[in-house]
Amino acid sequence: MPAELLLGIDLGAGSLKATLIRTDGTVAGEASAAVTTLSPHPGWSEQDPAGWWAALTDAVPRAIAASGEQAGAILAISFSAGAHTQVLEDADGRVIRPAILWNDQRSAVETAELRAGHDARILEHGANRANPTWTLPQMLWLRRREPEAFARVRRMYLAKDWLRTRLTGGFETDTIDALGALMVDAATKTWSPELCGLIGWDMSTLPPIVEPTARAGAVTEAAAKVTGLVAGTPVICGTSDTAIETFGAGMVETGLGCVKLATAATVSVLSREPRVDRELINYYHVVPDHWYVITATNSCASAHRWLRDTLFPGESFAALDALATEAPRGSKGLLFHPYLNGERSPYWDPKLRADFVGLSFAHGRGEIVRALYEGIAYSLRDCTEVLRGRGLNFTTARITGGGARSATWRQIVADVLDATIELPATADASFGAALLAGVGIGVWPDPVTAAKQAVRIVARQQPDAEAVAAYDKGFRLYRQAQAALAPINHALVEAAR
């Protein structure tokens, strides 16, 4: 029998990954290519979209080669990328400036002004509150700080859509990614004149909105020549990375959580309705007529990489994981707050900063690494407490992201959250995008069926009662230290400016 494959392409913060899966959900081949993040000023985070396309044309042919199959075996393609990241083109189709990423903090002033003047209306219409990671305040920053660029915009793409249109020539986005721009009326799934009007945005620049599973064209002859794909291959719209990761992890039933240990870390739960709240993030889900509700911490794998590059240069992540595994629970009284780029849930404070608290001569390399693992888990506990306080509880959660490869880190998360943590065989965004491609062309009749048939659990960490009790005490100290240090963080940020 000839092979039948589905291709998922995910643009991450540090790399683009292409994954080919078979229609039983097993991985046939995969490849990734690095993308570069620019930070020309403190708190800025930008990427050149041309680098994304270069990464795609590198990774896709290598993923096909790794599968041992021909490109003609690919039934359909779909995409994902981080939410909120926009690409702006002028009348000639040229990219105007680097894309501002979701973790960029430059629009803190604009965010404060939007909250001061329009907080209730933005929350009512957009189901979310303005903060510096969203497109709305970022584009208000652009209007004020780069007015010539603002005036030249004729098309605004979201990141995965700009990549997809390189394959198809189309111009559309999906409901979930559109909501992430904070420029959509959540009740009607249409662009909101009121929200766009708050920043003077020309609505003619915005793409049509379709469902994530909608067909968005096919691979063109020109794109086929540079990607190794076959012209005419169907392309499914796709959606944002966290939506696709929760789907790819099998979070398709209410009461099941999902924890992501990626560049940032998130805690998500599935809900039949949005939970409009100043401390929560709401998105439509891939599962029809459902939402997923998120709380998030800004720095996770990014903090892990910072630690490795700064204090352990030349060492592998596996070596760091071994150090953390050998270190004792509680890291001999060492705490870490992972606020290297400010913080989202539950503080929504771009002026918070990271720290190690309690260092002494008793601490070695292992305690430092384990404290980072535990500190990020405590931050996830902070996020989880917000959800549980609103009745969005879970006792089992699927785990995704690069950090999920560490059994030690998974166990720490299970103990700190007091929840069973399940690891899917493959649950990154490119896998979820490949599943979505299958739903889009009818390999599976709906997302729930796709997840139930294709997602396999390969490891499970149960919370240990003794560890849960110890980490409860540690979490109280973590919060006390955060509260005590917050005003000092603010003063340090102002002094640095």
Side-chain angles (χ1 to χ4, degrees):
M1 292 288 290
E4 292 185 330
L5 303 178
L6 301 162
L7 174 60
I9 300 171
D10 172 61
L11 174 65
S15 65
L16 178 142
K17 185 175 181 181
T19 297
L20 284 158
I21 68 170
R22 304 176 186 91
T23 54
D24 63 358
T26 57
V27 174
E30 57 188 11
S32 61
V35 294
T36 301
T37 299
L38 308 172
S39 185
H41 302 284
W44 288 32
S45 186
E46 302 181 338
Q47 290 181 354
D48 180 359
W52 305 344
W53 180 241
L56 185 150
T57 58
D58 176 14
V60 167
R62 289 192 290 110
I64 296 171
S67 75
E69 303 290 347
Q70 299 298 313
I74 299 172
L75 302 177
I77 305 164
S78 193
F79 285 82
S80 70
H84 320 307
T85 299
Q86 76 307 124
V87 181
L88 308 174
E89 287 188 349
D90 65 15
D92 297 319
R94 292 176 299 200
V95 174
I96 294 170
R97 69 172 324 282
I100 301 173
L101 300 189
W102 60 268
N103 57 352
D104 189 282
Q105 297 292 306
R106 76 186 70 188
S107 60
V109 171
E110 288 73 21
T111 294
E113 292 180 8
L114 287 169
R115 287 183 176 186
H118 311 283
D119 198 27
R121 295 295 287 171
I122 293 172
L123 193 62
E124 177 185 351
H125 284 281
N128 293 286
R129 199 180 191 200
N131 67 74
T133 65
W134 296 73
T135 309
L136 184 76
Q138 290 173 352
M139 293 301 95
L140 181 56
W141 177 94
L142 185 75
R143 179 185 179 185
R144 291 177 172 175
R145 310 298 176 89
E146 297 180 6
E148 292 183 2
F150 186 91
R152 287 173 55 201
V153 176
R154 293 298 176 270
R155 278 191 173 187
M156 185 183 85
Y157 294 88
L158 296 167
K160 66 99 175 45
D161 303 314
W162 185 86
L163 265 179
R164 192 191 59 251
T165 200
R166 303 304 100 188
L167 289 187
T168 66
F171 183 51
E172 57 278 303
T173 192
D174 74 289
T175 52
I176 301 170
D177 237 355
L179 188 67
L182 202 59
M183 298 163 74
V184 158
D185 187 307
T188 63
K189 298 184 178 181
T190 59
W191 298 110
S192 166
E194 180 170 350
L195 295 180
C196 292
L198 294 178
I199 64 170
W201 192 264
D202 180 358
M203 293 182 66
S204 70
T205 66
L206 299 172
I209 300 174
V210 301
E211 291 299 319
T213 54
R215 292 200 186 203
V219 176
T220 65
E221 293 281 357
K225 290 178 181 177
V226 294
T227 60
L229 296 167
V230 173
T233 304
V235 179
I236 303 305
C237 184
T239 191
S240 61
D241 58 354
T242 302
I244 212 76
E245 284 163 347
T246 59
F247 163 57
M251 193 186 81
V252 294
E253 297 176 315
T254 55
L256 184 66
C258 189
V259 174
K260 179 169 75 169
L261 302 181
T263 301
T266 61
V267 183
S268 306
V269 292
L270 196 64
S271 174
R272 292 190 178 275
E273 61 276 323
R275 301 298 182 98
V276 179
D277 188 294
R278 284 179 167 81
E279 293 189 40
L280 298 174
I281 303 170
N282 293 278
Y283 284 107
Y284 313 120
H285 197 258
V286 171
V287 177
D289 302 318
H290 282 71
W291 294 68
Y292 68 102
V293 185
I294 314 175
T295 50
T297 182
N298 269 350
S299 302
C300 178
S302 52
H304 194 202
R305 179 174 294 276
W306 166 84
L307 184 76
R308 194 275 305 268
D309 293 348
T310 304
L311 299 182
F312 300 85
E315 298 208 33
S316 67
F317 289 117
L320 267 65
D321 192 59
L323 288 170
T325 302
E326 294 168 1
R329 178 190 304 143
S331 304
K332 296 181 181 177
L334 183 62
L335 291 173
F336 174 71
H337 293 93
Y339 312 142
L340 286 155
N341 195 30
E343 186 55 301
R344 285 188 280 177
S345 303
Y347 306 109
W348 301 103
D349 187 347
K351 294 182 181 180
L352 290 183
R353 289 296 178 263
D355 55 62
F356 284 98
V357 178
L359 270 170
S360 75
F361 286 125
H363 295 114
R365 289 151 48 91
E367 286 78 23
I368 290 172
V369 180
R370 189 177 181 97
L372 180 133
Y373 282 14
E374 292 174 338
I376 291 169
Y378 284 142
S379 188
L380 289 169
R381 169 78 175 269
D382 246 346
C383 293
T384 302
E385 292 293 317
V386 175
L387 293 170
R388 289 172 172 166
R390 274 93 174 148
L392 295 167
N393 200 6
F394 59 86
T395 56
T396 300
R398 303 286 170 82
I399 193 164
T400 68
R405 289 192 290 267
S406 166
T408 297
W409 208 345
R410 295 198 306 270
Q411 187 62 54
I412 289 170
V413 171
D415 294 334
V416 171
L417 300 188
D418 192 14
T420 299
I421 298 297
E422 296 180 336
L423 177 68
T426 309
D428 62 23
S430 58
F431 173 80
L435 279 187
L436 194 71
V439 176
I441 62 167
V443 172
W444 298 284
D446 54 66
V448 174
T449 303
K452 287 184 177 296
Q453 291 184 358
V455 176
R456 295 178 297 113
I457 301 303
V458 295
R460 184 175 285 107
Q461 267 74 29
Q462 302 284 359
D464 174 83
E466 182 180 338
V468 169
Y471 281 130
D472 276 345
K473 295 177 182 178
F475 180 61
R476 288 195 291 271
L477 291 171
Y478 174 91
R479 276 190 158 177
Q480 290 171 16
Q482 185 280 329
L485 290 170
I488 297 172
N489 290 161
H490 292 181
L492 288 171
V493 169
E494 292 304 318
R497 287 176 177 171

